[in-house]
Amino acid sequence: AHKRGIEVIMDVVFNHTAEGNENGPIFSFRGVDNNVYYMLAPMGEFYNYSGCGNTFNCNHPAVRRFIVDCLRYWVIEMHVDGFRFDLASIMTRGSSLWDAVNVYGNPIEGDTLTTGSPLGNPPLIDMISNDPILQGVKLIAEAWDAGGLYQVGTFPHWCVWSEWNGKYRDIVRQFIKGTDGFSGAFAECLCGSPNLYQGGGRKPWNSINFICAHDGFTLADLVTYNSKHNLANGEDNNDGENHNNSWNCGQEGEFVSISVKKLRKRQMRNFFVCLMVSQGVPMIYMGDEYGHTKGGNNNTYCHDNYINYFLWDKKD
């Protein structure tokens, strides 16, 4: 990629592991030191801010050292150009058995933080932001988590972090499908969301603008389905996001009239034009450029089949 002038951004997941909850099998960090590597309640239950059964104890001194060492290795040895941090808001939460002396080296007056409380100056984010190696690469936060912490525009950033602009995604979807009352917010999106980033000293390039990502509908499905169709996942259509801000242009599914198909293609072009003229960094989900469909499934993590395969020779 570098030989062709392309930077490599690595997607990293430091918010959970594959070990499930306290009842799951032991095959990784639970076998190293369960109390250190996971956020635990007093009786040993796992806090689940990730939605995956467990939460990595990111701001514990040993854990944050491990994370920084991993990132430095990937930059120094593997030459990646930056990172996108999955559910990055978890990295701003207080560790279990919070101890300000242990974390900061001194007590904090009036410190009453409990496990998982959002921190104004999270030690891990501080370490990454001021590390002589890491502060020079691209740092992109998915500034929310499954526990309800939503920090788009307010993520602790030290002026070096960018964010997946989830508000951009939601506002642009609403405006282009014709929902009333979004014209002013849409104008902010076109201007790089200064309402989110200007006050904190950041610039439009700190906003990663996107319409679709690996989670949720593809662009073609965004204009084809009003509702998710996840029955193939085996979870009775209970998984995946319910609030997609999608519009099927008048008929649900792929087998529709010619006029509906034309409208859908026009809507897709509207989304692309908006994304490319907005101030900030545009992010395009691979496959959207030719209208890849997942059949209305918005949570395809469990599929190794045609749903996730790309048609490289697609011509139309």
Side-chain angles (χ1 to χ4, degrees):
H2 285 167
K3 289 179 180 178
R4 289 160 175 78
I6 301 172
E7 290 186 326
V8 177
I9 307 296
M10 185 173 180
D11 193 324
V12 290
V13 181
F14 287 117
N15 60 75
H16 73 279
T17 74
E19 289 186 285
N21 57 24
E22 63 274 8
N23 299 315
I26 298 174
F27 54 79
S28 184
F29 289 101
R30 289 184 67 198
V32 177
D33 196 328
N34 191 43
N35 292 322
V36 167
Y37 285 97
Y38 296 99
M39 286 191 190
L40 302 181
M43 299 302 292
E45 303 94 336
F46 278 27
Y47 283 94
N48 185 21
Y49 296 117
S50 69
C52 297
N54 62 76
T55 306
F56 214 47
N57 203 22
C58 294
N59 281 298
H60 185 283
V63 180
R64 68 176 189 262
R65 183 71 264 170
F66 165 78
I67 293 173
V68 170
D69 286 346
C70 288
L71 298 174
R72 287 174 63 95
Y73 172 80
W74 285 319
V75 172
I76 296 171
E77 301 295 337
M78 306 305 291
H79 311 295
V80 302
D81 301 286
F83 303 94
R84 177 264 185 187
F85 293 82
D86 186 72
L87 298 183
S89 289
I90 282 177
M91 300 194 304
T92 73
R93 291 182 180 271
S95 58
S96 53
L97 303 177
W98 175 263
D99 184 347
V101 175
N102 193 28
V103 172
Y104 291 112
N106 55 271
I108 298 177
E109 184 176 352
D111 180 21
T112 58
L113 285 171
T114 57
T115 299
S117 296
L119 305 172
N121 296 292
L124 173 59
I125 306 301
D126 188 350
M127 287 179 66
I128 295 172
S129 304
N130 293 290
D131 183 87
I133 299 296
L134 300 178
Q135 68 178 191
V137 303
K138 293 177 172 62
L139 303 171
I140 303 169
E142 183 183 32
W144 57 83
D145 65 25
L149 183 55
Y150 191 78
Q151 297 175 307
V152 173
T154 62
F155 188 84
H157 55 80
W158 277 266
C159 289
V160 297
W161 286 76
S162 299
E163 296 173 8
W164 262 25
N165 193 341
K167 291 185 178 180
Y168 177 98
R169 172 200 60 201
D170 297 340
I171 291 168
V172 170
R173 287 187 179 192
Q174 292 275 24
F175 179 82
I176 289 183
K177 79 169 185 169
T179 305
D180 291 335
F182 282 89
S183 57
F186 179 71
E188 293 272 10
C189 290
L190 293 177
C191 295
S193 301
N195 55 316
L196 298 178
Y197 301 109
Q198 192 173 52
R202 287 185 285 178
K203 304 296 182 180
W205 60 75
N206 293 118
S207 174
I208 308 299
N209 301 329
F210 68 105
I211 308 297
C212 300
H214 63 283
D215 291 321
F217 281 151
T218 66
L219 186 62
D221 289 350
L222 187 66
V223 298
T224 303
Y225 299 94
N226 280 354
S227 304
K228 64 184 182 183
H229 296 265
N230 295 2
L231 287 173
N233 296 2
E235 299 182 43
D236 297 323
N237 212 40
N238 292 316
D239 63 303
E241 178 60 57
N242 291 315
H243 306 289
N244 297 286
N245 294 320
S246 61
W247 177 46
N248 63 16
C249 297
Q251 294 177 265
E252 187 80 355
E254 295 187 44
F255 301 101
V256 296
S257 64
I258 293 176
S259 61
V260 169
K261 289 184 178 180
K262 288 182 177 179
L263 177 57
R264 287 174 178 175
K265 289 185 176 181
R266 187 168 66 186
Q267 285 291 79
M268 291 173 66
R269 291 195 293 270
N270 287 337
F271 279 118
F272 264 113
V273 168
C274 173
L275 186 61
M276 299 311 293
V277 302
S278 296
Q279 295 292 301
V281 180
M283 186 185 83
I284 299 172
Y285 179 46
M286 185 176 178
D288 280 349
E289 73 279 6
Y290 71 78
H292 177 68
T293 177
K294 295 183 178 181
N297 192 316
N298 70 356
N299 191 36
T300 60
Y301 75 98
C302 57
H303 290 273
D304 181 16
N305 54 40
Y306 71 94
I307 291 179
N308 284 326
Y309 295 163
F310 297 108
L311 304 177
W312 296 102
D313 58 350
K314 183 81 170 179
K315 297 296 191 298
D316 59 359

